[in-house]
Amino acid sequence: MNDINTSEKPFKPLYKWFLIIFVFATTLIMLYLVYIYPEKRIGAMQPIPFSHRLHVTDKEIDCKYCHSYVDRSPYPGMPPVELCISCHKYIIPQHPEIQKLHRYYDEKKPIQWKRIFFQPDFVFFNHKRHIVLGVECKTCHGNIEQMDRVTQSFQTKMEFCVTCHRQNNASVECYVCHH
Ligand code: HEC
Ligand code: HEC
Ligand code: HEC
Ligand code: HEC
Ligand code: HEC
């Protein structure tokens, strides 16, 4: 009997620690699910809730109207506030988010849009060549025209790029993408 009592004791503090760690881990997981995971799933919050679904699908504005340099330069470009204002001077100017837009315009402040798609520095990517060849935006970006918030719906790691290059007899030499 005595033997059992003494051998049980050392386990008690251990059990307590286990419980503390368990509660701590569960809390972290809950916080992740509630606060971080939806960001990933429905897309990051932007300074102004701009919707591609509304502007592209409902209002039929072409991608290149706003991302003007996508077929001409390495950088697609983001629409300047002036472009938004050219419409929103007249369209729903009293909407609270549009008034926010007007404040950016009046103060000549660019909108700091959160980036969703980016490559690491050691990767060279250029839109121009792909767009000129007729590769559609959705091949690499998914259905942006259906999104209220832009999100990356699939990974575009090296495997993704190289697979398409192989299929189209484009170069898969390392130096093409890594100068
Ligand atoms: C070619 C015209 C045009 C341009 C350019 C344009 N919009 Fe719009 N936008 C519209 C129209 C049309 C609506 C719908 C208005 C309505 O609901 O009656 C709209 C609606 C909106 C709304 C309100 C959405 C809601 O939830 O009701 C926001 C916010 C908005 N635009 C932001 C922007 C921003 C930011 C830019 C610049 C990046 C921009 N728009 C550029 C035409 C434009
Ligand atoms: C009315 C202007 C407008 C039109 C039309 C438009 N965009 Fe955009 N786009 C924006 C703005 C503003 C942002 C930044 C805010 C955001 O992410 O929603 C953006 C962001 C993006 C991003 C994310 C960029 C990043 O930094 O990661 C992609 C990709 C994109 N657009 C692709 C498209 C495609 C594809 C189309 C056509 C199907 C399109 N856009 C049409 C204004 C526009
Ligand atoms: C072959 C794949 C591919 C295609 C096709 C493609 N993109 Fe991209 N796009 C990318 C990659 C990769 C990035 C990230 C680039 C970087 O980090 O330098 C990107 C970034 C962007 C950005 C953000 C740029 C910035 O400077 O913030 C916009 C906007 C964009 N693309 C719009 C478009 C539009 C519009 C089309 C169609 C006309 C399109 N893309 C077609 C792969 C593609
Ligand atoms: C849909 C198929 C496809 C995808 C996806 C794709 N590429 Fe390409 N890429 C091509 C084709 C086709 C060429 C043209 C080769 C030529 O001109 O001979 C090319 C050319 C290039 C070039 C050389 C031309 C230039 O602009 O200097 C680079 C660099 C490149 N791609 C990088 C990438 C990277 C990085 C990715 C992934 C983020 C990617 N590509 C994804 C099909 C694709
Ligand atoms: C068509 C474009 C392309 C070609 C060709 C290519 N890479 Fe990459 N590589 C990429 C992209 C895109 C990434 C970044 C993936 C990410 O987002 O982490 C990458 C990442 C890498 C990394 C970082 C580790 C990783 O996997 O993320 C190494 C190492 C690498 N590449 C080596 C090579 C070597 C060696 C070759 C030649 C055999 C090569 N690459 C050819 C596009 C390419």
Side-chain angles (χ1 to χ4, degrees), residues 15-80:
Y15 175 73
K16 207 166 80 185
W17 275 110
F18 183 75
L19 199 74
I20 289 169
I21 290 168
F22 178 77
V23 170
F24 187 66
T26 315
T27 314
L28 280 184
I29 291 168
M30 295 297 280
L31 284 173
Y32 173 77
L33 290 176
V34 172
Y35 289 106
I36 302 170
Y37 187 63
E39 270 274 287
K40 281 203 163 158
R41 188 162 33 88
I42 64 173
M45 195 126 101
Q46 295 285 3
I48 291 184
F50 175 83
S51 165
H52 279 82
R53 184 186 53 72
L54 176 78
H55 289 86
V56 179
T57 301
D58 297 352
K59 304 301 173 191
E60 301 181 341
I61 307 173
D62 190 65
C63 308
K64 284 176 202 161
Y65 185 76
C66 291
H67 304 292
S68 319
Y69 307 109
V70 75
D71 54 355
R72 286 186 266 154
S73 122
Y75 306 104
M78 285 304 206

Side-chain angles (χ1 to χ4, degrees), residues 63 67 70 76-78 115 117-119 125 127 130-131 135-137 140-141:
C63 308
H67 304 292
V70 75
M78 285 304 206
R115 288 201 68 167
F117 290 87
F118 49 82
Q119 293 291 343
F125 177 76
H127 275 83
H130 297 89
I131 305 306
V135 183
E136 283 188 84
C137 310
C140 302
H141 291 298

